[in-house]
PDB file of all heavy atoms in Angstrom:
ATOM      1  N   THR I 436     106.221 143.291 101.633  1.00 92.00           N
ATOM      2  CA  THR I 436     106.698 142.409 102.744  1.00 92.00           C
ATOM      3  C   THR I 436     107.203 143.270 103.923  1.00 92.00           C
ATOM      4  O   THR I 436     107.378 142.779 105.025  1.00 92.00           O
ATOM      5  CB  THR I 436     107.899 141.544 102.294  1.00 92.00           C
ATOM      6  OG1 THR I 436     108.913 142.400 101.785  1.00 92.00           O
ATOM      7  CG2 THR I 436     107.453 140.606 101.188  1.00 92.00           C
ATOM      8  N   GLY I 437     107.404 144.552 103.674  1.00 94.00           N
ATOM      9  CA  GLY I 437     107.920 145.425 104.719  1.00 94.00           C
ATOM     10  C   GLY I 437     109.472 145.519 104.748  1.00 94.00           C
ATOM     11  O   GLY I 437     110.038 146.254 105.542  1.00 94.00           O
ATOM     12  N   GLU I 438     110.107 144.725 103.885  1.00 93.00           N
ATOM     13  CA  GLU I 438     111.582 144.678 103.883  1.00 93.00           C
ATOM     14  C   GLU I 438     112.220 146.043 103.610  1.00 93.00           C
ATOM     15  O   GLU I 438     113.223 146.389 104.258  1.00 93.00           O
ATOM     16  CB  GLU I 438     112.102 143.724 102.802  1.00 93.00           C
ATOM     17  CG  GLU I 438     112.224 142.290 103.310  1.00 93.00           C
ATOM     18  CD  GLU I 438     112.554 141.349 102.184  1.00 93.00           C
ATOM     19  OE1 GLU I 438     113.559 141.541 101.500  1.00 93.00           O
ATOM     20  OE2 GLU I 438     111.750 140.382 102.033  1.00 93.00           O
ATOM     21  N   THR I 439     111.658 146.793 102.651  1.00 94.00           N
ATOM     22  CA  THR I 439     112.240 148.063 102.315  1.00 94.00           C
ATOM     23  C   THR I 439     112.141 149.025 103.542  1.00 94.00           C
ATOM     24  O   THR I 439     113.118 149.678 103.845  1.00 94.00           O
ATOM     25  CB  THR I 439     111.539 148.704 101.065  1.00 94.00           C
ATOM     26  OG1 THR I 439     111.473 147.708 100.076  1.00 94.00           O
ATOM     27  CG2 THR I 439     112.195 149.942 100.604  1.00 94.00           C
ATOM     28  N   ALA I 440     110.992 149.036 104.154  1.00 96.00           N
ATOM     29  CA  ALA I 440     110.792 149.939 105.292  1.00 96.00           C
ATOM     30  C   ALA I 440     111.721 149.495 106.470  1.00 96.00           C
ATOM     31  O   ALA I 440     112.276 150.332 107.196  1.00 96.00           O
ATOM     32  CB  ALA I 440     109.354 149.875 105.749  1.00 96.00           C
ATOM     33  N   LEU I 441     111.928 148.202 106.577  1.00 96.00           N
ATOM     34  CA  LEU I 441     112.701 147.660 107.620  1.00 96.00           C
ATOM     35  C   LEU I 441     114.200 148.098 107.456  1.00 96.00           C
ATOM     36  O   LEU I 441     114.867 148.476 108.437  1.00 96.00           O
ATOM     37  CB  LEU I 441     112.602 146.140 107.616  1.00 96.00           C
ATOM     38  CG  LEU I 441     112.865 145.413 108.902  1.00 96.00           C
ATOM     39  CD1 LEU I 441     112.002 145.962 110.022  1.00 96.00           C
ATOM     40  CD2 LEU I 441     112.605 143.911 108.743  1.00 96.00           C
ATOM     41  N   ARG I 442     114.630 148.072 106.212  1.00 95.00           N
ATOM     42  CA  ARG I 442     116.006 148.478 105.950  1.00 95.00           C
ATOM     43  C   ARG I 442     116.107 149.993 106.223  1.00 95.00           C
ATOM     44  O   ARG I 442     117.141 150.466 106.775  1.00 95.00           O
ATOM     45  CB  ARG I 442     116.341 148.186 104.498  1.00 95.00           C
ATOM     46  CG  ARG I 442     117.851 148.077 104.310  1.00 95.00           C
ATOM     47  CD  ARG I 442     118.285 148.173 102.890  1.00 95.00           C
ATOM     48  NE  ARG I 442     119.330 149.205 102.758  1.00 95.00           N
ATOM     49  CZ  ARG I 442     119.223 150.327 102.209  1.00 95.00           C
ATOM     50  NH1 ARG I 442     118.056 150.710 101.708  1.00 95.00           N
ATOM     51  NH2 ARG I 442     120.237 151.205 102.203  1.00 95.00           N
ATOM     52  N   ALA I 443     115.126 150.738 105.811  1.00 97.00           N
ATOM     53  CA  ALA I 443     115.155 152.216 106.090  1.00 97.00           C
ATOM     54  C   ALA I 443     115.246 152.439 107.565  1.00 97.00           C
ATOM     55  O   ALA I 443     116.027 153.315 108.051  1.00 97.00           O
ATOM     56  CB  ALA I 443     113.901 152.830 105.494  1.00 97.00           C
ATOM     57  N   ALA I 444     114.504 151.690 108.390  1.00 97.00           N
ATOM     58  CA  ALA I 444     114.501 151.851 109.797  1.00 97.00           C
ATOM     59  C   ALA I 444     115.910 151.513 110.379  1.00 97.00           C
ATOM     60  O   ALA I 444     116.388 152.194 111.301  1.00 97.00           O
ATOM     61  CB  ALA I 444     113.466 150.969 110.431  1.00 97.00           C
ATOM     62  N   LYS I 445     116.531 150.482 109.780  1.00 96.00           N
ATOM     63  CA  LYS I 445     117.865 150.110 110.251  1.00 96.00           C
ATOM     64  C   LYS I 445     118.914 151.221 109.979  1.00 96.00           C
ATOM     65  O   LYS I 445     119.747 151.490 110.805  1.00 96.00           O
ATOM     66  CB  LYS I 445     118.320 148.803 109.592  1.00 96.00           C
ATOM     67  CG  LYS I 445     117.746 147.567 110.278  1.00 96.00           C
ATOM     68  CD  LYS I 445     118.147 146.300 109.670  1.00 96.00           C
ATOM     69  CE  LYS I 445     117.366 145.135 110.310  1.00 96.00           C
ATOM     70  NZ  LYS I 445     117.179 143.974 109.390  1.00 96.00           N
ATOM     71  N   VAL I 446     118.777 151.809 108.792  1.00 96.00           N
ATOM     72  CA  VAL I 446     119.666 152.947 108.456  1.00 96.00           C
ATOM     73  C   VAL I 446     119.452 154.085 109.414  1.00 96.00           C
ATOM     74  O   VAL I 446     120.456 154.644 109.972  1.00 96.00           O
ATOM     75  CB  VAL I 446     119.445 153.396 106.983  1.00 96.00           C
ATOM     76  CG1 VAL I 446     120.210 154.675 106.671  1.00 96.00           C
ATOM     77  CG2 VAL I 446     119.866 152.275 105.988  1.00 96.00           C
ATOM     78  N   ILE I 447     118.206 154.412 109.690  1.00 97.00           N
ATOM     79  CA  ILE I 447     117.902 155.459 110.625  1.00 97.00           C
ATOM     80  C   ILE I 447     118.455 155.169 112.022  1.00 97.00           C
ATOM     81  O   ILE I 447     119.115 156.010 112.645  1.00 97.00           O
ATOM     82  CB  ILE I 447     116.382 155.779 110.673  1.00 97.00           C
ATOM     83  CG1 ILE I 447     115.901 156.343 109.315  1.00 97.00           C
ATOM     84  CG2 ILE I 447     116.003 156.753 111.802  1.00 97.00           C
ATOM     85  CD1 ILE I 447     114.383 156.317 109.136  1.00 97.00           C
ATOM     86  N   ARG I 448     118.200 153.985 112.496  1.00 97.00           N
ATOM     87  CA  ARG I 448     118.596 153.611 113.855  1.00 97.00           C
ATOM     88  C   ARG I 448     120.115 153.548 113.993  1.00 97.00           C
ATOM     89  O   ARG I 448     120.687 153.915 115.004  1.00 97.00           O
ATOM     90  CB  ARG I 448     117.912 152.277 114.269  1.00 97.00           C
ATOM     91  CG  ARG I 448     116.411 152.489 114.576  1.00 97.00           C
ATOM     92  CD  ARG I 448     115.636 151.177 114.685  1.00 97.00           C
ATOM     93  NE  ARG I 448     114.255 151.450 115.059  1.00 97.00           N
ATOM     94  CZ  ARG I 448     113.310 150.530 114.924  1.00 97.00           C
ATOM     95  NH1 ARG I 448     113.582 149.298 114.487  1.00 97.00           N
ATOM     96  NH2 ARG I 448     112.065 150.815 115.264  1.00 97.00           N
ATOM     97  N   SER I 449     120.781 153.024 112.923  1.00 96.00           N
ATOM     98  CA  SER I 449     122.276 152.901 113.003  1.00 96.00           C
ATOM     99  C   SER I 449     122.905 154.287 112.898  1.00 96.00           C
ATOM    100  O   SER I 449     124.043 154.430 113.201  1.00 96.00           O
ATOM    101  CB  SER I 449     122.773 151.919 111.981  1.00 96.00           C
ATOM    102  OG  SER I 449     122.558 152.482 110.683  1.00 96.00           O
TER     103      SER I 449
END
Side-chain angles (χ1 to χ4, degrees):
T436 59
E438 270 171 57
T439 309
L441 206 53
R442 203 197 129 252
K445 278 179 187 152
V446 171
I447 293 167
R448 286 168 177 165
S449 67

